[in-house]
Amino acid sequence: MRGLAPVLWGITMFTEYHLTFEYPWLALALALVVVPLVWWIGFRHLAALGPGRRWLALVLRSLVVVLFVLAMAELRAARTSERLTVIYLLDLSQSIPSEAREAMIEYVNRAIEEHRKDRDRAGVIVFGRDAAIELPPFDETIPVARVPESPVDPEYTNLAAAMRLAQASFPEDAARRVVIVTDGNENLGNAMEQAQAMAAAGVGIDVVPVRYRRRGEVIVERLALPSDARRGQPLDLKVVVSNTRPPTAGDSGEVTGRLSIKRGTGDRQTIVSEERVTLPPGKRVFTVRQQIDAAGFFQYEATFTPDRPDDDTMPQNNRATTFTHIQGKGQVLLIENHEADKAGQYGHLVRALQEHNIEVTVRPSNQLFGSLAELQPFDSVVLANVPREHFTDAQIQMLVRNTQQMGAGLVMLGGPDSFGAGGWANTEIEKAMPVDFTIKSAKVVPRGALAMIMHASEIAQGNYWQKVIAAEALKALGPRDYCGVIHYGGMSATDWLWRPGMAVVGERRAEMLARLDRMTPGDMPDFDPGLILARKGLAECKDAGIRHLIIISDGDPSPPSRLAIQGLIDEKITVSSVAVGAHGPAESRVMENLATATGGKFYKVNNPQMLPRIFQREARKVAQPLIYENLAGFRPQIRFPHEMLNGIEAPLRPITGFVLTTRKEHPLVEVSLVSPQPSAEHNNTILASWTYGLGRAVALTTDGTTRWTQPWIGWEAYSKLMGQMVRWSMRPSGDQGKFTVATDLKDGQVHLIITALDQNDEFLNFLDFAGTVVGPDLQPIDLKIEQTAPGRYVATFPAGRAGSYLILATPGAGRAPIRTGINVPYSDEFRALETNEDLLRQMASLAPEGGQPGAVIEHPDGFARMDQLLQTDSFRHDLPKATSSQDAWYYLVLVASCLFFADVFVRRVQVSLAWLPRLIARLAGRKPAPAPEETIQ
């Protein structure tokens, strides 16, 4: 019997096929008309061929015509299959207890093993928020793992997505059924609508209800607070808490615990209320009076913690959040240098801004913001003589984005630690400013020269960080500066990384960065060769105003000789040394002595991530010629009567210094104040401004403090200048239109709808909206706002996490931003307390076309009675048989083409058969008769 199996399989496959036509009436009509016409014409015109050849030609021609007619009717080979494909849909969402999920997997494995027939297929799809194929439909029994491998988000139930995926995964050659194992508590999508579509497509639906009822649950329903309020206005914060635990004999159902309320702005949180509460069965409302004396966005979070964990099985629903926007006057964030000798220098500026009704928050540079959300309460940010190394790349990106996309202002004040002198060259901040931080005029500033000696480091990722820090130092140099890198290359000994050793950065910056990336520092045996090489290279930079050397090492090479150190001193080359992972005090002392002897600075580093800031600071020493100082003083001149200078008349009081920059050649750049010294036209900017994206950026290259602008302090125009300058940079305030904002949450997506009207209630069209969203994780989400109708603007963004989402939309340059938000509650997954049997029974009652309704596979004891559940066969063949087909017309065309060639051959070639009797006679052993003459026409 085993040998007959392939034969029986082949017979079964053959009997499953039959032929059909896509256009059967076309085939019949053409056959009734064309074939008789072929015979009528051919019988008269082929008489000369003789009776045999004429009849053969007519038959072949008829066959050719019939085959082409059948091909035109699109002959198809249809197959009716006895196979069945069953796909199990497993609900892995958190509304189902973990022990129930394990029983569900066991049920699926046993059902497939006991009921699947030989030719049937079985597959498994798991789902939560999304759906994934755990096992594709397969004709062998493969068990599902106890812990499914396909990752799904368990905080939501999207049964409709799983059903769509199943429908797309069914093969065409089998009847189809899904077996849905779930509690039916969907909170995304529409499962009933999808079930109706599946039934219409001939898919059967069985359901296995997962039953449970939780003993009791405490749910923080919501946290209510007005979304907009005024500063100092009393607010009533309401917390709605439900206790679903029913009272029983001997148990009142009360749950005790701690209810705490926190308030946060940015990433800072404070506890505003914390009390012990007793929750009787049902709902209870707690009210907390609040009064906020600062403007901005504030998030509130209420959390309930039970005394006994058994009283509350789902902690996810014990938390609710909300937000409020406190209105106030304009706010400015002023960031100053935190170093002891520089902190507090801008008290005069702060008082000047306060006189203009501007609230100022002063923050030292070692306590910077950590997210874009922290910048949103401020309408402008002032960088007050702060060096670049105090900021991370991410914080720089936040500052630029806050101006370009969020419409806030950005002001940079001059000083020894600002602009190019502060290492800000070649950063995103430079792109946002109306001036470039590098100088292109050789008449204004002498060049700087920086050499770096790299020695292999033994600390983790030390060599990688050497490349990073060398690149950061190179980026801080101007295009006219010299730069060179010395490394120990093994067989090639100590040498320059590129030629010439000290090269002008200019257009070679990209090449230098590429060479640095490929550099592999070696273990240098002694300091002298590198120091001598650096001295010679730096000495050749005759026109360099400052020549500086940075050396990084663990200190174990042979100490430098007195002769090598004296050579550096004679050439006035300063050396800063960085001891990275030094082996001991002796090695550190070698590095320290080298820096001290040459007037440089010594650093000892054990954490390589600190190296970039050190090298940025050291590279700035080469940029110090960017500072122009004249202690005799000089008076800035008004070049353009900008509104920042309203009420300020020439002559201005003198200043003693500023940072040299280069005005950007851009039509939006407006230079308001210039210096008469030095004489270069493009490098004497004192005050410049422009619109950058949706915000405004201002560059004041002098410092506004007692160092360079001492004569300004106490001058009545000082307060006016500073106040008007910062006020101009701030986000626009006041209503410049009527904007109605609506938000809607559906299927994990927030839909933002803005209706825009002008003062005359006419639609505002073609606004250049830009926006961003800051979610509960404080990460920004880009917001694409498009106009869909007159005055109507729409945007959509994902809101997968529960919490408050801050939305900022700017209608365009010069318009006040729209601030709103939406609170996304925790998923309804954590509100489900029992099985949604109504939905499951409705889906099972749907009958596919030509088949029977599905089955509700259940038992009062659920999966505890697995044998009872398995009595229902999900692989029963009560569905319409699957029919599939494939084109066969091209086979007919092939055969017809061959027959057409035979038809031509019969009509054009006469072949004699006189040789046939002779061949027969010879084979029979008789003497063949003489052959008659053959003629070929």
Side-chain angles (χ1 to χ4, degrees):
M1 292 297 295
R2 185 181 300 274
L4 292 176
V7 178
L8 294 175
W9 173 264
I11 295 174
T12 302
M13 293 289 293
F14 181 78
T15 57
E16 288 180 352
Y17 282 95
H18 61 279
L19 300 179
T20 63
F21 293 93
E22 186 72 19
Y23 308 105
W25 292 107
L26 176 64
L28 180 61
L30 291 177
L32 292 177
V33 174
V34 176
V35 173
L37 185 63
V38 169
W39 275 83
W40 180 70
I41 296 175
F43 199 82
R44 295 179 57 188
H45 289 78
L46 299 178
L49 298 179
R53 291 172 60 197
R54 181 171 62 173
W55 283 101
L56 181 58
L58 285 172
V59 170
L60 290 174
R61 186 170 295 182
S62 299
L63 287 175
V64 170
V65 171
V66 168
L67 290 175
F68 274 118
V69 168
L70 296 179
M72 292 174 63
E74 292 194 17
L75 180 70
R76 302 177 68 86
R79 178 186 178 190
T80 301
S81 175
E82 299 288 340
R83 298 181 105 176
L84 173 67
T85 298
V86 178
I87 296 181
Y88 290 83
L89 309 184
L90 271 174
D91 187 348
L92 299 185
S93 62
Q94 290 190 0
S95 63
I96 300 177
S98 58
E99 59 273 11
R101 290 198 292 270
E102 295 177 3
M104 292 158 56
I105 294 174
E106 181 185 356
Y107 164 76
V108 170
N109 285 333
R110 290 187 57 181
I112 295 175
E113 182 179 1
E114 295 183 18
H115 298 308
R116 190 186 68 81
K117 281 70 174 178
D118 287 341
R119 299 183 61 205
D120 292 341
R121 300 186 184 98
V124 178
I125 289 176
V126 295
F127 66 94
R129 174 194 283 270
D130 41 16
I133 298 177
E134 181 71 12
L135 291 176
F138 204 61
D139 55 3
E140 291 187 11
T141 301
I142 301 176
V144 182
R146 291 174 59 88
V147 179
E149 298 178 357
S150 302
V152 294
D153 182 355
E155 293 194 359
Y156 290 85
T157 300
N158 193 343
L159 177 55
M163 298 171 73
R164 283 195 300 271
L165 180 60
Q167 190 168 0
S169 304
F170 279 118
E172 294 184 358
D173 62 345
R176 299 164 291 171
R177 173 178 286 121
V178 293
V179 180
I180 305 174
V181 188
T182 179
D183 61 357
N185 289 308
E186 62 168 346
N187 38 63
L188 290 178
N190 190 325
M192 192 62 201
E193 182 179 301
Q194 186 63 34
Q196 292 170 346
M198 294 183 76
V203 181
I205 302 175
D206 287 356
V207 297
V208 183
V210 180
R211 290 191 176 89
Y212 56 84
R213 183 168 182 84
R214 302 189 185 279
R215 174 170 165 266
E217 189 68 31
V218 176
I219 302 175
V220 180
E221 297 279 357
R222 65 191 183 94
L223 190 60
L225 188 68
S227 59
D228 286 285
R230 293 191 178 276
R231 186 175 56 177
Q233 173 187 348
L235 304 173
D236 284 334
L237 180 67
K238 298 182 183 296
V239 186
V240 182
V241 184
S242 295
N243 176 14
T244 65
R245 182 175 181 177
T248 59
D251 184 359
S252 64
E254 291 183 344
V255 176
T256 60
R258 187 175 68 257
L259 180 65
S260 63
I261 301 174
K262 298 178 181 178
R263 182 180 68 204
T265 175
D267 60 352
R268 295 175 176 81
Q269 284 193 336
T270 57
I271 297 176
V272 298
S273 174
E274 189 168 30
E275 60 177 320
R276 295 191 57 78
V277 296
T278 300
L279 304 175
K283 290 188 178 181
R284 185 176 175 186
V285 180
F286 298 89
T287 302
V288 178
R289 176 58 64 93
Q290 283 289 288
Q291 179 174 316
I292 305 177
D293 296 324
F297 269 87
F298 295 87
Q299 295 181 350
Y300 282 84
E301 175 183 291
T303 306
F304 175 78
T305 306
D307 291 337
R308 295 185 305 171
D310 293 342
D311 290 339
D312 188 37
T313 57
M314 298 177 69
Q316 293 91 342
N317 57 18
N318 290 6
R319 172 181 172 272
T321 63
T322 189
F323 68 91
T324 187
H325 175 217
I326 305 299
Q327 300 176 0
K329 55 186 179 181
Q331 294 191 80
V332 169
L333 174 64
L334 189 146
I335 301 175
E336 66 174 3
N337 199 323
H338 71 274
E339 297 174 4
D341 59 336
K342 299 177 181 178
Q345 291 184 346
Y346 288 89
H348 298 288
L349 175 60
V350 171
R351 287 189 291 272
L353 297 180
Q354 290 172 345
E355 290 177 7
H356 283 257
N357 204 30
I358 299 174
E359 291 187 358
V360 183
T361 299
V362 180
R363 188 172 296 177
S365 56
N366 60 346
Q367 298 178 19
L368 293 175
F369 48 91
S371 68
L372 190 61
E374 290 184 62
L375 294 175
Q376 296 319 298
F378 306 104
D379 297 308
S380 187
V381 179
V382 179
L383 301 178
N385 192 29
V386 188
R388 182 260 179 270
E389 67 258 20
H390 292 181
F391 293 77
T392 65
D393 290 341
Q395 288 169 333
I396 292 175
Q397 290 286 353
M398 292 175 201
L399 284 172
V400 173
R401 185 173 182 180
N402 188 47
T403 297
Q404 186 178 30
Q405 300 179 14
M406 310 296 284
L410 181 62
V411 179
M412 178 172 275
L413 303 182
D417 297 323
S418 189
F419 295 100
W424 289 99
N426 302 303
T427 65
E428 293 297 315
I429 291 290
E430 182 180 24
K431 295 179 182 179
M433 284 287 116
V435 293
D436 289 327
F437 300 166
T438 55
I439 304 301
K440 302 177 176 62
S441 174
K443 297 179 180 179
V444 176
V445 57
R447 294 172 168 176
L450 175 67
M452 294 176 277
I453 298 178
M454 299 297 182
H455 176 212
S457 174
E458 297 179 9
I459 63 175
Q461 290 189 308
N463 294 338
Y464 161 78
W465 282 105
Q466 288 199 47
K467 298 179 182 181
V468 173
I469 60 182
E472 291 296 332
L474 177 57
K475 291 176 183 178
L477 298 179
R480 299 185 65 254
D481 292 332
Y482 294 96
C483 184
V485 175
I486 297 172
H487 70 127
Y488 182 73
M491 295 298 294
S492 60
T494 303
D495 201 359
W496 295 101
L497 189 60
W498 51 71
R499 298 290 180 183
M502 293 299 298
V504 178
V505 174
E507 297 180 355
R508 294 189 60 182
R509 193 187 303 270
E511 173 198 344
M512 292 176 176
L513 290 172
R515 287 180 176 269
L516 281 172
D517 187 59
R518 296 192 298 267
M519 178 186 66
T520 303
D523 192 6
M524 192 165 50
D526 50 63
F527 281 116
D528 272 8
L531 295 178
I532 295 172
L533 200 62
R535 178 183 61 80
K536 290 180 178 179
L538 290 168
E540 293 174 357
C541 303
K542 302 294 186 181
D543 55 347
I546 293 180
R547 290 175 288 185
H548 188 57
L549 171 64
I550 307 174
I551 181 168
I552 180 170
S553 172
D554 56 10
D556 64 355
S558 299
S561 64
R562 287 188 178 182
L563 185 61
I565 295 176
Q566 188 60 44
L568 294 169
I569 297 173
D570 293 342
E571 292 291 343
K572 298 181 180 179
I573 298 172
T574 56
V575 180
S576 289
S577 58
V578 185
V580 181
H583 301 290
E587 287 80 3
S588 297
R589 195 174 302 112
V590 170
M591 303 285 287
E592 185 176 6
N593 292 340
L594 177 60
T596 303
T598 57
K601 194 167 184 179
F602 168 70
Y603 303 90
K604 185 176 181 180
V605 178
N606 292 318
N607 180 5
Q609 297 188 19
M610 296 299 296
L611 291 172
R613 290 192 177 186
I614 293 175
F615 268 58
Q616 289 166 359
R617 175 179 296 179
E618 288 299 310
R620 285 199 290 119
K621 293 182 178 180
V622 178
Q624 288 305 305
L626 292 171
I627 296 173
Y628 177 81
E629 288 184 301
N630 185 343
L631 298 182
F634 48 91
R635 295 179 183 271
Q637 300 172 353
I638 297 177
R639 178 173 179 177
F640 177 76
H642 197 280
E643 60 185 276
M644 293 185 292
L645 302 180
N646 286 345
I648 300 176
E649 298 179 356
L652 275 67
R653 292 196 176 181
I655 61 175
T656 59
F658 67 100
V659 183
L660 293 169
T661 57
T662 301
R663 187 190 68 213
K664 278 188 169 75
E665 295 296 335
H666 195 283
L668 293 180
V669 173
E670 295 175 331
V671 178
S672 305
L673 295 178
V674 296
S675 168
Q677 305 172 7
S679 59
E681 179 181 355
H682 295 281
N683 307 119
N684 59 353
T685 300
I686 299 295
L687 178 62
S689 58
W690 73 337
T691 299
Y692 185 69
L694 297 179
R696 294 170 170 177
V698 179
L700 179 66
T701 59
T702 192
D703 61 351
T705 67
T706 56
R707 174 167 179 161
W708 289 341
T709 57
Q710 175 65 46
W712 287 13
I713 307 301
W715 178 37
E716 60 180 11
Y718 172 76
S719 174
K720 184 176 294 187
L721 172 62
M722 294 301 177
Q724 292 177 167
M725 178 185 69
V726 175
R727 176 71 70 183
W728 181 86
S729 72
M730 295 168 63
R731 286 191 182 102
S733 59
D735 293 329
Q736 300 181 15
K738 300 177 182 179
F739 296 93
T740 303
V741 183
T743 54
D744 179 46
L745 175 66
K746 184 178 181 180
D747 290 345
Q749 297 283 323
V750 172
H751 303 275
L752 173 69
I753 302 171
I754 302 174
T755 303
L757 302 174
D758 61 16
Q759 298 297 336
N760 298 320
D761 291 336
E762 298 289 338
F763 289 122
L764 281 173
N765 296 316
F766 311 112
L767 295 178
D768 186 17
F769 263 103
T772 192
V773 180
V774 179
D777 57 357
L778 302 181
Q779 296 301 313
I781 304 171
D782 287 328
L783 195 61
K784 186 177 181 181
I785 305 175
E786 297 179 338
Q787 184 172 3
T788 60
R792 183 183 179 90
Y793 301 84
V794 176
T796 302
F797 63 90
R801 292 187 56 173
S804 297
Y805 288 78
L806 165 64
I807 303 172
L808 182 69
T810 304
R815 293 185 179 272
I818 301 170
R819 299 185 184 185
T820 185
I822 185 172
N823 182 60
V824 176
Y826 49 79
S827 170
D828 288 340
E829 193 75 21
F830 306 114
R831 300 178 189 268
L833 302 179
E834 57 185 18
T835 305
N836 187 355
E837 295 196 34
D838 291 340
L839 173 64
L840 299 180
R841 293 185 183 279
Q842 289 177 25
M843 290 193 298
S845 67
L846 298 174
E849 184 176 353
Q852 300 297 319
V856 180
I857 306 172
E858 60 181 338
H859 190 275
D861 295 332
F863 293 107
R865 300 297 299 272
M866 189 78 69
D867 293 337
Q868 296 294 325
L869 297 179
L870 291 171
Q871 289 182 4
T872 302
D873 183 7
S874 298
F875 288 84
R876 62 191 183 279
H877 287 246
D878 59 355
L879 296 172
K881 296 179 181 179
T883 301
S884 59
S885 63
Q886 62 182 18
D887 291 329
W889 60 266
Y890 40 81
Y891 294 113
L892 300 180
V893 172
L894 176 63
V895 175
S897 301
C898 296
L899 291 177
F900 178 75
F901 176 78
D903 172 45
V904 173
F905 183 84
V906 168
R907 288 186 292 106
R908 296 297 182 186
V909 180
Q910 180 178 354
V911 179
S912 174
L913 300 179
W915 53 271
L916 188 59
R918 300 180 62 190
L919 176 62
I920 295 175
R922 186 179 298 275
L923 294 175
R926 301 192 302 271
K927 185 176 180 180
E933 292 184 0
E934 296 184 2
T935 60
I936 300 178
Q937 297 181 354

